[in-house]
Amino acid sequence: MISIDIEKSLNSHNHLSVLQITQEIPVGSITKIYGPSGAGKTTLIKVIAGLTRPEKGRIRFNDITWLDTENGIFVSPQQRKVGLVFQQYALFPNMTVLQHLRYATNDETWIKQLLTIGKLEAFAQQKPEYLSGGQQQRLAILRAMATKPQLLLMDEPFSALDPEMKTELINDLQYLWKELATTVLVVSHNPLELEGIFQQEILIKSPVAGA
Amino acid sequence: MDLSPVILTLKLAAITTVLLLLIGLPVAWWLSKSKSILKLIIEAIITMPLVLPPSVLGFYLLLAFSPQHGIGKWLRDVFDVQLVFSFPGLILASVIYSLPFMIGPIKSALQQLPPSLAQASYTLGKSERQTFMHVLLPNIRASVLTAATLTFVHTLGEFGVVLMIGGNIPGVTRVASIAVYDAVENQDYSSANAYSLILFGITFITVISVFVFNKYKAKSPLE
């Protein structure tokens, strides 16, 4: 079980608001996080990944405390080792597709399998600047999966894919997630996205005004 | 014409550049991510050589490393080392004087990289050092080259600081810029012209090479 109970201030458009989330997520499930722009969806997954610290709260993953502000516990992102697909991909401009995956893992068989799933075998030696938006997005997903994370966080991961590619990729990923017992949290602003795939959803409403 | 000032200048510039790369990369990295008050103070200290008259900096270095005072006395008593009027003294002065030329461009380049690059690396389990070596540094190569070149050519042209701390000892501390001054003082204009042309040529070729290497993308220090 992933247990989240956090409070994080958000600075947007010169006014202060607060993101408050209390949620329990079953391990191995697929959860969709949706809500309006600026509600704090991206902030939430960065807090879970350990890239941003909330002012208050606790996060536990499988009985391991990742964050407890009261007791001063903060597990680093390196130790949490969640898979994270960034909204803007965050690909490394100096690395080819293959180098991205080799940076994340030494398992060559796994790398080959990932390249096949992402249909990027032919582009293995290409750097991100020579890839299309859809190819870049697939590489970002493959890189996040490369470490076989127990928890995968995805921020608008399918926005640049055509419907056919998206369906095919999601099917393949679902198979992998099941095999690896991966817990998946997918951020989407589209309420209809991933219909029939996720087991639960979290609606993040507009944040409450801060003091 | 005596070529030893030119050789000494090139040696000084090369050693200073290598040392400043070793010092400047970690310092610039720390400055690019730190938000502490200490950062402001260190940034101000690093910027001082840009705005201080070189003779003032040289004077204080001369005082600090004079064998009769403070650090200089301690160095002489404990390690039997004298930095003033010596080549190692010139290196120390050059490192301090050229510090902002190495750190400034590297720090700016690191600050311009999207934070998500480092964050993506952290989520893959990579340490800050691994992230710096494999992700950040390769993506600021052009700026590192620009910084190293600026440092090199700036050291070639140093005058006030090296004169104050090194004096004008042939073969030891007489660098090309001092040789020009010395030649003019002695009304030996042909030697002054020869040294000046060599300095101009080396500097021009070095800067042009960087622009070509960076495919015309090298940043001006004033940008």
Side-chain angles (χ1 to χ4, degrees):
Chain A
M1 187 70 76
I2 303 168
S3 169
I4 301 164
D5 179 12
I6 57 142
E7 209 174 291
K8 167 94 179 101
S9 59
L10 305 169
N11 274 316
S12 59
H13 302 106
N14 298 324
H15 71 274
L16 188 67
S17 51
V18 179
L19 168 73
Q20 286 175 321
I21 296 282
T22 303
Q23 192 76 37
E24 296 214 319
I25 298 163
V27 166
S29 65
I30 301 173
T31 303
K32 185 170 86 170
I33 302 168
Y34 70 104
S37 295
K41 302 186 293 292
T42 298
T43 303
L44 173 62
I45 63 168
K46 285 197 171 176
V47 167
I48 297 171
L51 299 172
T52 303
R53 293 185 193 221
E55 283 76 32
K56 276 203 300 190
R58 275 189 305 274
I59 298 175
R60 285 176 66 78
F61 181 81
N62 281 348
D63 298 327
I64 300 167
T65 303
W66 278 358
L67 173 85
D68 186 342
T69 51
E70 268 183 29
N71 294 305
I73 298 171
F74 177 81
V75 173
S76 72
Q78 286 91 342
Q79 289 169 298
R80 296 186 198 192
K81 224 175 171 181
V82 301
L84 178 52
V85 181
F86 288 79
Q87 192 174 8
Q88 304 298 330
Y89 319 144
L91 298 175
F92 308 133
N94 60 308
M95 292 189 198
T96 63
V97 169
L98 195 57
Q99 284 168 338
H100 271 87
L101 302 180
R102 283 186 177 154
Y103 186 59
T105 177
N106 298 321
D107 186 343
E108 290 294 327
T109 315
W110 178 229
I111 288 175
K112 214 171 166 185
Q113 196 181 340
L114 287 171
L115 286 173
T116 309
I117 290 169
K119 297 195 173 17
L120 288 175
E121 305 104 309
F123 304 96
Q125 302 303 332
Q126 301 290 339
K127 287 187 176 173
E129 62 179 311
Y130 301 110
L131 300 176
S132 69
Q135 288 164 343
Q136 289 184 21
Q137 197 161 40
R138 277 179 274 152
L139 175 57
I141 295 169
L142 301 187
R143 182 183 62 184
M145 283 298 296
T147 56
K148 297 185 179 173
Q150 288 183 287
L151 176 61
L152 178 65
L153 309 169
M154 307 171 92
D155 196 353
E156 306 280 3
F158 309 114
S159 58
L161 303 182
D162 61 74
E164 197 183 330
M165 174 63 80
K166 184 172 160 182
T167 309
E168 213 172 318
L169 182 63
I170 289 174
N171 283 341
D172 288 340
L173 285 175
Q174 266 189 287
Y175 173 77
L176 281 184
W177 294 339
K178 202 169 178 183
E179 195 178 71
L180 300 169
T182 313
T183 308
V184 184
L185 271 68
V186 185
V187 166
S188 175
H189 67 275
N190 178 1
L192 298 175
E193 192 159 75
L194 298 172
E195 206 62 49
I197 292 166
F198 60 89
Q199 281 93 40
Q200 64 170 2
E201 57 188 344
I202 302 171
L203 168 63
I204 300 187
K205 295 175 187 166
S206 292
V208 296
Chain B
M1 188 187 72
D2 178 16
L3 277 177
S4 68
V6 177
I7 294 164
L8 198 68
T9 304
L10 290 172
K11 193 173 147 192
L12 177 66
I15 294 172
T16 302
T17 306
V18 171
L19 285 177
L20 271 178
L21 269 174
L22 296 174
I23 298 166
L25 283 169
V27 172
W29 180 35
W30 179 77
L31 287 174
S32 72
K33 56 184 186 164
S34 173
K35 289 173 185 164
S36 66
I37 293 175
L38 184 65
K39 174 205 164 166
L40 289 178
I41 296 165
I42 289 180
E43 268 195 311
I45 291 170
I46 290 169
T47 309
M48 287 306 276
L50 273 180
V51 290
L52 265 183
S55 52
V56 171
L57 187 67
F59 172 68
Y60 282 122
L61 287 174
L62 185 63
L63 275 189
F65 294 104
S66 152
Q68 280 81 42
H69 304 100
I71 306 169
K73 187 172 186 301
W74 179 77
L75 283 173
R76 193 198 58 188
D77 294 347
V78 178
F79 300 105
D80 195 24
V81 169
Q82 183 179 317
L83 286 175
V84 291
F85 306 121
S86 71
F87 187 67
L90 286 194
I91 294 172
L92 178 76
S94 299
V95 164
I96 292 170
Y97 190 47
S98 292
L99 207 56
F101 290 87
M102 181 64 84
I103 290 179
I106 297 175
K107 190 197 76 179
S108 299
L110 286 168
Q111 284 174 330
Q112 281 166 25
L113 286 177
S116 58
L117 287 189
Q119 291 175 343
S121 179
Y122 299 154
T123 61
L124 297 172
K126 305 297 177 186
S127 66
E128 290 205 31
R129 199 186 67 81
Q130 287 172 312
T131 300
F132 181 73
M133 295 306 289
H134 297 290
V135 177
L136 304 183
L137 192 53
N139 287 304
I140 58 160
R141 257 185 326 188
S143 298
V144 173
L145 183 65
T146 305
T149 308
L150 278 175
T151 303
F152 186 82
V153 294
H154 184 247
T155 309
L156 289 182
E158 275 176 16
F159 178 74
V161 174
V162 290
L163 184 65
M164 292 295 273
I165 199 159
N168 183 7
I169 306 169
V172 181
T173 61
R174 184 192 283 173
V175 291
S177 59
I178 292 173
V180 172
Y181 177 76
D182 206 34
V184 171
E185 281 277 283
N186 294 320
Q187 298 188 345
D188 178 4
Y189 297 121
S190 86
S191 292
N193 188 33
Y195 287 129
S196 300
L197 267 178
I198 291 172
L199 276 185
F200 182 87
I202 294 171
T203 309
F204 187 71
I205 290 166
T206 311
V207 173
I208 283 281
S209 307
V210 172
F211 275 79
V212 171
F213 190 81
N214 283 349
K215 294 176 188 165
Y216 309 103
K217 285 180 188 167
K219 287 196 170 173
S220 150
L222 299 175
E223 274 180 57

